[in-house]
PDB file of all heavy atoms in Angstrom:
ATOM      1  N   LEU A 273       9.819  27.634 -15.610  1.00 99.00           N
ATOM      2  CA  LEU A 273      11.016  28.321 -15.140  1.00 99.00           C
ATOM      3  C   LEU A 273      11.802  27.289 -14.333  1.00 99.00           C
ATOM      4  O   LEU A 273      11.254  26.671 -13.416  1.00 99.00           O
ATOM      5  CB  LEU A 273      10.615  29.524 -14.284  1.00 99.00           C
ATOM      6  CG  LEU A 273      11.759  30.318 -13.648  1.00 99.00           C
ATOM      7  CD1 LEU A 273      11.421  31.806 -13.604  1.00 99.00           C
ATOM      8  CD2 LEU A 273      12.089  29.826 -12.245  1.00 99.00           C
ATOM      9  N   VAL A 274      13.048  27.088 -14.725  1.00 99.00           N
ATOM     10  CA  VAL A 274      13.850  26.047 -14.078  1.00 99.00           C
ATOM     11  C   VAL A 274      15.063  26.689 -13.400  1.00 99.00           C
ATOM     12  O   VAL A 274      15.890  27.325 -14.061  1.00 99.00           O
ATOM     13  CB  VAL A 274      14.332  24.989 -15.102  1.00 99.00           C
ATOM     14  CG1 VAL A 274      14.999  23.818 -14.388  1.00 99.00           C
ATOM     15  CG2 VAL A 274      13.186  24.496 -15.966  1.00 99.00           C
ATOM     16  N   ILE A 275      15.138  26.526 -12.097  1.00 98.00           N
ATOM     17  CA  ILE A 275      16.304  27.014 -11.344  1.00 98.00           C
ATOM     18  C   ILE A 275      17.266  25.836 -11.195  1.00 98.00           C
ATOM     19  O   ILE A 275      16.843  24.729 -10.869  1.00 98.00           O
ATOM     20  CB  ILE A 275      15.867  27.535  -9.953  1.00 98.00           C
ATOM     21  CG1 ILE A 275      14.811  28.637 -10.117  1.00 98.00           C
ATOM     22  CG2 ILE A 275      17.071  28.056  -9.164  1.00 98.00           C
ATOM     23  CD1 ILE A 275      14.242  29.173  -8.810  1.00 98.00           C
ATOM     24  N   ASN A 276      18.521  26.053 -11.478  1.00 98.00           N
ATOM     25  CA  ASN A 276      19.555  24.995 -11.429  1.00 98.00           C
ATOM     26  C   ASN A 276      19.276  23.833 -12.393  1.00 98.00           C
ATOM     27  O   ASN A 276      19.314  22.655 -11.990  1.00 98.00           O
ATOM     28  CB  ASN A 276      19.676  24.403 -10.013  1.00 98.00           C
ATOM     29  CG  ASN A 276      20.204  25.394  -9.011  1.00 98.00           C
ATOM     30  OD1 ASN A 276      21.158  26.117  -9.304  1.00 98.00           O
ATOM     31  ND2 ASN A 276      19.605  25.435  -7.826  1.00 98.00           N
ATOM     32  N   PRO A 277      18.988  24.130 -13.663  1.00 98.00           N
ATOM     33  CA  PRO A 277      18.758  23.002 -14.583  1.00 98.00           C
ATOM     34  C   PRO A 277      20.012  22.147 -14.683  1.00 98.00           C
ATOM     35  O   PRO A 277      21.113  22.682 -14.717  1.00 98.00           O
ATOM     36  CB  PRO A 277      18.461  23.680 -15.930  1.00 98.00           C
ATOM     37  CG  PRO A 277      19.005  25.063 -15.813  1.00 98.00           C
ATOM     38  CD  PRO A 277      18.937  25.438 -14.354  1.00 98.00           C
ATOM     39  N   PRO A 278      19.872  20.815 -14.708  1.00 98.00           N
ATOM     40  CA  PRO A 278      21.056  19.963 -14.838  1.00 98.00           C
ATOM     41  C   PRO A 278      21.783  20.257 -16.155  1.00 98.00           C
ATOM     42  O   PRO A 278      21.182  20.719 -17.117  1.00 98.00           O
ATOM     43  CB  PRO A 278      20.485  18.541 -14.854  1.00 98.00           C
ATOM     44  CG  PRO A 278      19.101  18.650 -14.341  1.00 98.00           C
ATOM     45  CD  PRO A 278      18.628  20.048 -14.603  1.00 98.00           C
ATOM     46  N   TRP A 279      23.054  19.942 -16.165  1.00 97.00           N
ATOM     47  CA  TRP A 279      23.899  20.161 -17.327  1.00 97.00           C
ATOM     48  C   TRP A 279      23.259  19.514 -18.552  1.00 97.00           C
ATOM     49  O   TRP A 279      22.817  18.362 -18.474  1.00 97.00           O
ATOM     50  CB  TRP A 279      25.301  19.568 -17.044  1.00 97.00           C
ATOM     51  CG  TRP A 279      26.287  19.881 -18.110  1.00 97.00           C
ATOM     52  CD1 TRP A 279      26.726  21.119 -18.490  1.00 97.00           C
ATOM     53  CD2 TRP A 279      26.972  18.928 -18.932  1.00 97.00           C
ATOM     54  NE1 TRP A 279      27.631  20.989 -19.507  1.00 97.00           N
ATOM     55  CE2 TRP A 279      27.801  19.668 -19.797  1.00 97.00           C
ATOM     56  CE3 TRP A 279      26.964  17.531 -19.026  1.00 97.00           C
ATOM     57  CZ2 TRP A 279      28.621  19.054 -20.743  1.00 97.00           C
ATOM     58  CZ3 TRP A 279      27.772  16.921 -19.966  1.00 97.00           C
ATOM     59  CH2 TRP A 279      28.595  17.681 -20.810  1.00 97.00           C
ATOM     60  N   GLN A 280      23.236  20.263 -19.638  1.00 97.00           N
ATOM     61  CA  GLN A 280      22.719  19.802 -20.940  1.00 97.00           C
ATOM     62  C   GLN A 280      21.196  19.780 -21.059  1.00 97.00           C
ATOM     63  O   GLN A 280      20.683  19.413 -22.119  1.00 97.00           O
ATOM     64  CB  GLN A 280      23.273  18.411 -21.287  1.00 97.00           C
ATOM     65  CG  GLN A 280      24.736  18.473 -21.644  1.00 97.00           C
ATOM     66  CD  GLN A 280      25.136  17.388 -22.597  1.00 97.00           C
ATOM     67  OE1 GLN A 280      24.709  16.268 -22.447  1.00 97.00           O
ATOM     68  NE2 GLN A 280      25.952  17.717 -23.578  1.00 97.00           N
ATOM     69  N   PHE A 281      20.476  20.161 -20.001  1.00 98.00           N
ATOM     70  CA  PHE A 281      19.012  20.186 -20.113  1.00 98.00           C
ATOM     71  C   PHE A 281      18.585  21.129 -21.256  1.00 98.00           C
ATOM     72  O   PHE A 281      17.712  20.798 -22.057  1.00 98.00           O
ATOM     73  CB  PHE A 281      18.396  20.630 -18.780  1.00 98.00           C
ATOM     74  CG  PHE A 281      16.903  20.780 -18.823  1.00 98.00           C
ATOM     75  CD1 PHE A 281      16.092  19.668 -18.966  1.00 98.00           C
ATOM     76  CD2 PHE A 281      16.299  22.026 -18.723  1.00 98.00           C
ATOM     77  CE1 PHE A 281      14.703  19.792 -19.025  1.00 98.00           C
ATOM     78  CE2 PHE A 281      14.919  22.169 -18.770  1.00 98.00           C
ATOM     79  CZ  PHE A 281      14.131  21.045 -18.921  1.00 98.00           C
ATOM     80  N   ASP A 282      19.246  22.300 -21.337  1.00 98.00           N
ATOM     81  CA  ASP A 282      18.866  23.264 -22.378  1.00 98.00           C
ATOM     82  C   ASP A 282      19.129  22.702 -23.775  1.00 98.00           C
ATOM     83  O   ASP A 282      18.281  22.762 -24.663  1.00 98.00           O
ATOM     84  CB  ASP A 282      19.581  24.611 -22.181  1.00 98.00           C
ATOM     85  CG  ASP A 282      21.090  24.473 -22.104  1.00 98.00           C
ATOM     86  OD1 ASP A 282      21.588  23.401 -21.689  1.00 98.00           O
ATOM     87  OD2 ASP A 282      21.805  25.426 -22.467  1.00 98.00           O
ATOM     88  N   THR A 283      20.293  22.078 -23.943  1.00 98.00           N
ATOM     89  CA  THR A 283      20.648  21.535 -25.260  1.00 98.00           C
ATOM     90  C   THR A 283      19.670  20.425 -25.670  1.00 98.00           C
ATOM     91  O   THR A 283      19.257  20.334 -26.821  1.00 98.00           O
ATOM     92  CB  THR A 283      22.070  20.915 -25.187  1.00 98.00           C
ATOM     93  OG1 THR A 283      22.881  21.829 -24.462  1.00 98.00           O
ATOM     94  CG2 THR A 283      22.656  20.644 -26.525  1.00 98.00           C
ATOM     95  N   LEU A 284      19.327  19.582 -24.693  1.00 98.00           N
ATOM     96  CA  LEU A 284      18.428  18.467 -25.010  1.00 98.00           C
ATOM     97  C   LEU A 284      17.005  18.948 -25.280  1.00 98.00           C
ATOM     98  O   LEU A 284      16.279  18.355 -26.076  1.00 98.00           O
ATOM     99  CB  LEU A 284      18.425  17.452 -23.856  1.00 98.00           C
ATOM    100  CG  LEU A 284      19.730  16.666 -23.715  1.00 98.00           C
ATOM    101  CD1 LEU A 284      19.800  15.964 -22.361  1.00 98.00           C
ATOM    102  CD2 LEU A 284      19.845  15.639 -24.837  1.00 98.00           C
ATOM    103  N   MET A 285      16.591  20.019 -24.596  1.00 98.00           N
ATOM    104  CA  MET A 285      15.205  20.470 -24.747  1.00 98.00           C
ATOM    105  C   MET A 285      14.970  21.263 -26.040  1.00 98.00           C
ATOM    106  O   MET A 285      13.838  21.376 -26.493  1.00 98.00           O
ATOM    107  CB  MET A 285      14.769  21.321 -23.548  1.00 98.00           C
ATOM    108  CG  MET A 285      14.400  20.532 -22.317  1.00 98.00           C
ATOM    109  SD  MET A 285      13.184  19.202 -22.584  1.00 98.00           S
ATOM    110  CE  MET A 285      11.657  20.108 -22.828  1.00 98.00           C
ATOM    111  N   ARG A 286      16.040  21.816 -26.619  1.00 97.00           N
ATOM    112  CA  ARG A 286      15.859  22.645 -27.818  1.00 97.00           C
ATOM    113  C   ARG A 286      15.128  21.887 -28.956  1.00 97.00           C
ATOM    114  O   ARG A 286      14.079  22.340 -29.428  1.00 97.00           O
ATOM    115  CB  ARG A 286      17.225  23.169 -28.286  1.00 97.00           C
ATOM    116  CG  ARG A 286      17.191  24.589 -28.739  1.00 97.00           C
ATOM    117  CD  ARG A 286      18.591  25.090 -29.070  1.00 97.00           C
ATOM    118  NE  ARG A 286      19.243  25.750 -27.956  1.00 97.00           N
ATOM    119  CZ  ARG A 286      18.955  26.969 -27.527  1.00 97.00           C
ATOM    120  NH1 ARG A 286      18.000  27.661 -28.112  1.00 97.00           N
ATOM    121  NH2 ARG A 286      19.607  27.508 -26.504  1.00 97.00           N
ATOM    122  N   PRO A 287      15.619  20.711 -29.366  1.00 96.00           N
ATOM    123  CA  PRO A 287      14.896  19.997 -30.432  1.00 96.00           C
ATOM    124  C   PRO A 287      13.527  19.474 -29.976  1.00 96.00           C
ATOM    125  O   PRO A 287      12.602  19.329 -30.786  1.00 96.00           O
ATOM    126  CB  PRO A 287      15.835  18.835 -30.785  1.00 96.00           C
ATOM    127  CG  PRO A 287      16.784  18.707 -29.640  1.00 96.00           C
ATOM    128  CD  PRO A 287      16.887  20.051 -28.997  1.00 96.00           C
ATOM    129  N   VAL A 288      13.402  19.210 -28.675  1.00 97.00           N
ATOM    130  CA  VAL A 288      12.107  18.730 -28.149  1.00 97.00           C
ATOM    131  C   VAL A 288      11.066  19.843 -28.305  1.00 97.00           C
ATOM    132  O   VAL A 288       9.942  19.616 -28.776  1.00 97.00           O
ATOM    133  CB  VAL A 288      12.238  18.314 -26.664  1.00 97.00           C
ATOM    134  CG1 VAL A 288      10.891  17.912 -26.084  1.00 97.00           C
ATOM    135  CG2 VAL A 288      13.253  17.189 -26.506  1.00 97.00           C
ATOM    136  N   LEU A 289      11.471  21.059 -27.932  1.00 98.00           N
ATOM    137  CA  LEU A 289      10.559  22.206 -28.043  1.00 98.00           C
ATOM    138  C   LEU A 289      10.161  22.449 -29.492  1.00 98.00           C
ATOM    139  O   LEU A 289       8.992  22.707 -29.795  1.00 98.00           O
ATOM    140  CB  LEU A 289      11.282  23.461 -27.548  1.00 98.00           C
ATOM    141  CG  LEU A 289      11.042  23.940 -26.140  1.00 98.00           C
ATOM    142  CD1 LEU A 289      11.748  25.266 -25.912  1.00 98.00           C
ATOM    143  CD2 LEU A 289       9.547  24.112 -25.871  1.00 98.00           C
TER     144      LEU A 289
END
Side-chain angles (χ1 to χ4, degrees):
L273 177 145
V274 188
I275 303 177
N276 293 316
W279 187 62
Q280 288 209 318
F281 176 68
D282 55 333
T283 316
L284 290 165
M285 281 308 287
R286 221 175 267 285
V288 176
L289 262 186

